[in-house]
Amino acid sequence: MNEWNTATELPWLWAGMASYALATFIVIRGVVLTRGGAAGAAVNRGYETPAFIFILAGVALLAMALAERWIRIGHGPFVNLFELLMSQLFSLGVIYSFAYWRYPAIRASAVVALPLMWILGVWVLMLEPSATAFPPTYYNNWLWAHVGLGKFFLGFCLVGTGLAGALLLRGVPRLEPWFRQLPSDAMVDHLAWRFMLLAFIFHSAMLIAGAVWAQDAWGRYWSWDALETSSFLTWLALGGAIHARLTYRLPMRAGAIFIIVVFIIAFLTYFGTPFYSSAAHKGVI
Amino acid sequence: MNAVLSPFASLRLTLVGMVLLAIGAAMSYGNPETTSVWVLVVPMAFLAINLLAAIITNPRINRRGGLLTFHIALLGVVILAAIGRLTHLEAHVELVQDTAFSADELFDDSRGPWHASDLDKLVFVQGPYTVDYAPGMVRGLTHSEVRVPDGQGGWERRVVGDDRPLVLEGYRFYTSFNKGFAPLLTWMPEQGEPQTGVVHMPAYPLFEFKQDNTWKPPGGPEIKFWLRLETGMTEKAAWILDGQKAKGTLVVNSGAERVELQPGETVNLPGGQLRYERLSTWMGYKIFYDPTLQWLFVTAVFGVLGMSVHFWRKFGARMPAAAAADTLKAGNYSATSKGRAI
């Protein structure tokens, strides 16, 4: 069924994405304008507040889009890819804007983090906003805990990956002036891993909440279905990366690559699973 | 003792174990029959030994309360999951309305070697059920009524379904999508006592067009049954499957004879008479038993709390100040410093 004409959430979604696009443009332009200043010279920070305002506006507009869709189809954004992407864009915006506001030192890394969100942004704009029936097993409160904790995980992962990406880009001589606003490499590395450790905590909690939900919903807490296997591999990858960093005292750029690999695995878990499994969670319908 | 255990506590071994576990997990995707459970058991046992040795010998773990709690909890989860697999039971059962649960009727039964079955102690009686359907035949909530002893000689009515299992003695009964109709029949042989029983028809509405089954009465010929149902089912609108309101005409085929019966009607067949008493229903349940469930949950939550405490003590208060201070030094960064332990 073609729902392009009846999906009242679309204008809000498009406005939200436009706001994110403006924030991305402002950040990139602001960071690039830093170029040319000598090391230690005053850096351009004038872009930070406008970028923050547009990220917040995007979050607010996406909240409206989610609310509009919720009212239209009668259930939350938990089932099909369109609404999952929309919901992730909202939650990533919330978490990233909080980190952006709370830790001014990391703001230049938005030049990496915001374009990453655009992978979801472009994707959601290409999907039909169709409504999907709400499975009976989704009326469980643990679903909220599971999904909510997962959003925190991915949000902190995004912040860590933004920092890791900035750390790597800063190693390219031509791009090095873009990131003068960031603290030292050691501090960027430190902050990136702190966010990844936070992500690890929330991922662990997400797995617990998911297991409780799965037990209620399908009568088993773990069954190695597509999402369970993939999310366990993500947990192992992140745990392994943390241990590798401790064991081998990884150089910062190697650590940054580890963080990006974990983010890729997490991204595939969240958004790639539907492409290799017809039912992400067994018994979902 | 530490000298003996230290080699087993190596973080490098942890990484090896994690890689092996990741391979085992990937091989276990979808529970393929060709993959042995050992691809998970071996790396988990390996990691458990490594973890235990690390907890005992590694001061970076055992002198930090939060980190210690996390690692002990992780070990606890592995041990409890193993105990759970050894003591678990998973099975299915189909219960006809107004009949009591019987452990003899389980099928697809899988149980751990240490499972001490208390199934014979379980008492409940299946009642009627309803299932909501959205337009397009999309299944919604299931409301299955059961009666359990109230402890005072009576019965307590409970409604279960989907994510609300019936829990008795630790056994959890989950309704499944598998449910259907069952005509209640009485066979009255020319000689001997009448017998009353049901014929399970295939799941409904999944096999709406195949509501048939056969039965061979004692001393009689094989009878083919076909059930023509009126349930109000429609694909275009929402509807409720309610066995109490459904009507069913039973088509009986025996040899060349074909008779349509309404509830209460009787047909003469070679060897006796068959009476179609009424239309009944059956509900399919998945049974799950694992005595470690609550402990697993509590242990895992403690693990996350431990890690959170560790994070907070190590970074919580210092993070903004350190970052802010460093911001002032923007531009004075070094590309050579090594990563720090977190």
Side-chain angles (χ1 to χ4, degrees), chain B residues 180-247:
Chain B
F181 290 92
L184 183 69
L185 309 172
T186 299
W187 173 250
M188 294 165 284
E190 289 167 354
Q191 293 177 341
E193 292 295 309
Q195 293 180 11
T196 299
V198 293
V199 175
H200 275 236
M201 292 298 173
Y204 185 91
L206 186 63
F207 297 108
E208 181 212 350
F209 298 107
K210 198 181 180 306
Q211 291 295 303
D212 56 27
N213 208 338
T214 59
W215 179 58
K216 190 174 186 303
E222 183 178 81
I223 307 170
K224 292 177 182 173
F225 298 102
W226 176 53
L227 188 62
R228 195 166 65 231
L229 287 161
E230 294 173 42
T231 60
M233 186 186 77
T234 167
E235 285 204 27
K236 291 180 180 172
W239 65 290
I240 296 173
L241 172 60
D242 185 348
Q244 303 289 85
K245 294 178 180 172
K247 293 177 182 173

Side-chain angles (χ1 to χ4, degrees), chain A residues 39-41 43 45 102-105 133-137 139-142 170 176-177 179-187 189-191 193-195 197-198 200-201 204-205 208 212 215-221 223-227 229 232-233 235-236 239-253 276-277 282 285, chain B residues 11-12 14-15 18-19 21-26 28-31 40 44 47 60 70-71 74 80-81 84-85 90 134 138-142 162-165 172 174 286-288 290 292-293 296-297 300-301 304 307-308 310-311 314-316 318-320 322-324 326-327 329-342:
Chain A
V43 292
R45 307 199 73 130
R102 188 73 181 85
Y103 308 111
F134 201 63
T137 48
Y139 288 95
N140 190 296
N141 290 333
W142 282 100
R170 191 147 81 173
E176 176 268 330
F179 300 101
R180 292 224 170 108
Q181 298 155 42
L182 285 175
S184 66
D185 275 7
M187 179 54 81
D189 171 79
H190 198 50
L191 286 174
W193 281 101
R194 282 187 190 183
F195 278 107
L197 196 59
L198 256 183
F200 184 70
I201 292 169
S204 305
I208 296 169
V212 177
Q215 181 65 56
D216 282 348
W218 306 304
R220 85 299 186 283
Y221 63 86
S223 178
W224 297 109
D225 72 19
L227 266 185
T229 306
F232 182 67
L233 289 174
W235 186 85
L236 266 183
I242 291 168
H243 277 89
R245 187 166 187 266
L246 291 171
T247 310
Y248 296 106
R249 309 278 300 170
L250 289 177
M252 286 180 292
R253 297 195 198 293
Y276 62 84
S277 170
K282 269 185 190 170
I285 301 296
Chain B
L11 274 174
R12 287 178 172 81
T14 309
L15 289 172
M18 284 178 157
V19 170
L21 186 55
I23 294 169
S28 302
Y29 163 55
N31 290 313
L40 290 170
M44 279 196 184
L47 281 170
R60 286 199 298 187
F70 173 74
H71 284 92
L74 209 53
L80 286 169
R85 290 313 295 168
E90 282 178 58
V138 178
R139 185 168 58 88
L141 294 172
T142 298
D162 305 306
D163 59 345
R164 296 157 297 148
R172 305 166 77 89
Y174 297 87
K286 175 183 179 179
I287 309 171
F288 183 91
D290 183 340
T292 68
L293 274 186
L296 257 178
F297 175 73
V301 168
V304 171
M307 186 52 107
S308 306
H310 172 70
F311 181 87
K314 197 165 175 62
F315 304 125
R318 296 207 308 268
M319 192 165 177
D326 218 58
T327 308
K329 293 183 277 180
N332 300 325
Y333 52 83
S334 158
T336 55
S337 51
K338 291 271 186 177
R340 295 179 202 170
I342 56 170

